[in-house]
């Protein structure tokens, strides 16, 4: 390695430790492009599955193989390998859909790389192959989504996982202007779901116990409710004309919040579980069967849903970097992770110098 072909990359070590290592800048192979990294988000799943555990899992969809971390990459094409579609050109701005699928199984053919059935072919960026907390990233061209103007690289990074996940949940619930939506848990995914549901025409309430998060949501124009209030069910009932919400999206992963959502939902409501982890227990007959509820699980959006999200954000003039509270360079990764781990932030991003500067000037 010589000084001008070296890049830095962040590797998570478990037990709240990380290292910044030097790598040779990779050369794109067949079907691949090299991106200059511009923005790479930190995600709650990075904390839960890799950063916090003393010994992160190395197998399965959330197995971490000691690669460069970061699964929310957004950047600019600087080099193109052989056998890449001519639609991609140097200087194009792109979001990387963060799961590379085998391309051949039934799920991949439907664009749902997240559910790829191939153990060897399925590789998530920042988990099983090098991710975005770096100066450059090698991406497969089939995983690229064009970042439309005037969206910023930081917007693109928020789209890459968190907002895409929120969008998939709102699509699953088929939200429209006929709906009253309750979002439980106002972390980055919950905030995103609330903003999207508003744009999709619904009346939206956000339930959250943390006053810091409620304040941040109110600043974004979301009406919030205190999840710790002993009268919360009566309050929601009154706000919804005695009927309850027609859609509940749980972004908390918390048993109590999930149960509240099921209890306050009106008959025939759609419930989407998107917040990871935890459990919930309830009486099936009165709560689900007799109310005729539909309960869905929703993981990450498909790549075509991500393309439609990019298109709609431009149309709605909704710029998701509003969810971002802190931006760091690759060198500031340690601070970025410890701050994000405190729970007292919105979205935290690792960005290039230019993008970090643009963001701080725009504040
Ligand atoms: Zn994520
Ligand atoms: Zn597949």
């Amino acid at each position: 390695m010589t000084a001008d072909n070296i890049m830095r990359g962040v590797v998570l070590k478990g037990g709240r430790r990380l290292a910044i290592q030097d790598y040779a800048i990779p050369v794109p192979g067949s079907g691949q492009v090299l991106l200059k990294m511009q923005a790479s988000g930190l995600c709650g799943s990075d904390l839960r599955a890799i950063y916090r555990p003393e010994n992160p899992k190395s197998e399965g969809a959330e197995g971490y193989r000691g690669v460069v971390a970061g699964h929310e990459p957004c950047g600019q094409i600087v080099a193109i390998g052989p056998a890449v579609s001519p639609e991609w050109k140097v200087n194009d701005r792109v979001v990387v859909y963060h799961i590379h699928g085998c391309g051949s199984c039934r799920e991949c053919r439907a664009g749902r790389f997240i559910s790829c059935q191939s153990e060897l072919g399925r590789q998530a960026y920042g988990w099983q192959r090098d991710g975005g907390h770096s100066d450059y990233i090698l991406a497969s061209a089939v995983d690229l989504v064009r970042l439309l103007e005037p969206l910023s690289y930081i917007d693109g990074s928020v789209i890459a996982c968190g907002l895409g996940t929120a969008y998939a949940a709102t699509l699953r619930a088929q939200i429209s202007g006929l709906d009253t939506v309750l979002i439980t848990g106002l972390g980055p995914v919950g905030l995103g779901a609330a903003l999207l549901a508003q744009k999709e025409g619904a009346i939206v309430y956000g339930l959250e116990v943390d006053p810091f998060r409620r304040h941040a949501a109110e600043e974004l124009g979301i009406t919030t409710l205190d999840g710790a209030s002993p009268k919360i069910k009566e309050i929601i009932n009154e706000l919804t004309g005695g009927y309850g919400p027609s859609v509940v999206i749980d972004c908390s992963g918390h048993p109590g919040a999930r149960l509240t959502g099921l209890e306050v939902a009106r008959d025939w409501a759609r419930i989407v579980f998107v917040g990871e982890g935890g459990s919930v227990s309830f009486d099936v007959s009165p709560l689900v069967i007799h109310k005729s509820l539909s309960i869905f699980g929703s993981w990450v959006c498909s790549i075509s849903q991500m393309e439609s999200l990019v298109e709609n954000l431009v149309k709605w003039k909704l710029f998701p970097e509003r969810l971002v509270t802190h931006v760091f360079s690759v060198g500031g990764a340690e601070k970025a992770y410890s701050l994000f781990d405190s729970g007292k932030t919105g979205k935290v991003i690792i960005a290039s110098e230019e993008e970090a500067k643009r963001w701080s000037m725009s504040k």
Side-chain angles (χ1 to χ4, degrees):
M1 288 192 285
T2 60
D4 57 350
N5 75 350
I6 290 177
M7 65 174 199
R8 299 161 302 167
V10 177
V11 176
L12 300 177
K13 299 289 188 185
R16 296 185 158 84
R17 294 179 301 271
L18 60 80
I20 299 167
Q21 293 175 190
D22 285 345
Y23 297 84
I25 297 174
V27 176
S30 182
Q32 296 178 328
V33 298
L34 182 69
L35 306 183
K36 176 175 168 25
M37 276 306 308
Q38 295 286 359
S40 176
L42 278 60
C43 178
S45 65
D46 293 319
L47 294 180
R48 173 178 51 78
I50 320 176
Y51 180 73
R52 287 176 187 150
E54 203 55 46
N55 295 301
K57 275 198 305 188
S58 61
E59 296 302 317
E62 288 197 336
Y64 177 62
R65 302 212 187 122
V67 296
V68 173
H71 64 262
E72 306 183 347
C74 185
Q76 187 168 33
I77 298 179
V78 292
I80 298 181
V84 168
S85 160
E87 74 170 304
W88 299 113
K89 303 265 188 309
V90 166
N91 292 333
D92 282 355
R93 302 172 342 120
V94 294
V95 183
V96 180
Y97 179 83
H98 70 269
I99 299 110
H100 177 75
C102 73
S104 316
C105 73
R106 186 178 288 201
E107 293 299 318
C108 282
R109 286 182 197 271
R112 299 189 292 255
F113 303 161
I114 178 75
S115 305
C116 173
Q117 302 296 305
S118 164
E119 218 165 288
L120 287 176
R122 184 192 190 281
Q123 290 194 318
Y125 294 84
W127 298 86
Q128 295 96 34
R129 66 184 276 178
D130 287 334
H133 296 348
S134 182
D135 299 310
Y136 294 89
I137 183 174
L138 205 52
S140 298
V142 291
D143 303 333
L144 302 180
V145 171
R146 194 173 297 282
L147 182 66
L148 302 178
E149 296 285 353
L151 296 170
S152 71
Y153 288 115
I154 290 178
D155 286 325
S157 168
V158 178
I159 291 166
C161 169
L163 200 70
T165 298
Y167 185 56
T170 67
L171 295 182
R172 200 66 193 271
Q174 298 191 306
I175 288 172
S176 78
L178 301 175
D179 286 307
T180 303
V181 177
L182 177 70
I183 311 279
T184 50
L186 295 175
V189 173
L191 289 176
L195 293 175
L196 292 169
Q198 283 179 339
K199 291 292 184 185
E200 288 160 1
I203 302 288
V204 177
Y205 299 101
L207 184 77
E208 170 60 54
V209 289
D210 184 307
F212 170 85
R213 287 187 156 180
R214 277 205 306 278
H215 177 71
E218 292 279 349
E219 297 268 284
L220 291 168
I222 299 159
T223 305
T224 67
L225 307 169
D226 179 3
S229 161
K231 292 216 171 292
I232 192 63
K233 284 185 250 175
E234 289 90 326
I235 292 168
I236 294 170
N237 197 46
E238 198 167 313
L239 282 169
T240 55
Y243 293 107
S246 56
V247 172
V248 178
I249 301 182
D250 176 63
C251 300
S252 73
H254 188 272
R258 283 176 178 154
L259 185 60
T260 301
L262 291 166
E263 285 172 342
V264 298
R266 74 175 64 189
D267 287 7
W268 294 92
R270 292 95 74 199
I271 315 292
V272 184
F273 286 167
V274 63
E276 294 257 17
S279 61
V280 60
S281 100
F282 52 85
D283 290 334
V284 174
S285 285
L287 221 50
V288 179
I289 299 176
H290 300 171
K291 286 173 71 171
S292 300
L293 298 184
S294 299
I295 303 180
F296 301 98
S298 184
W299 199 3
V300 175
C301 69
S302 69
I303 192 163
S304 64
Q305 288 173 335
M306 190 171 284
E307 278 188 314
S308 108
L309 174 59
V310 168
E311 180 192 347
N312 283 323
L313 291 174
V314 172
K315 195 170 72 190
W316 292 332
K317 297 186 172 53
L318 177 60
F319 302 111
E321 74 172 43
R322 290 169 68 199
L323 301 173
V324 174
T325 54
H326 298 80
V327 175
F328 293 89
S329 65
V330 172
E334 194 146 359
K335 184 97 190 284
Y337 268 87
S338 66
L339 197 67
F340 188 49
D341 188 32
S342 73
K344 301 289 178 210
T345 69
K347 200 74 188 156
V348 177
I349 304 283
I350 290 177
S352 68
E353 241 168 73
E354 313 90 272
E355 185 62 357
K357 198 163 159 200
R358 183 203 58 77
W359 180 80
S360 65
M361 304 280 278
S362 72
K363 292 291 279 179

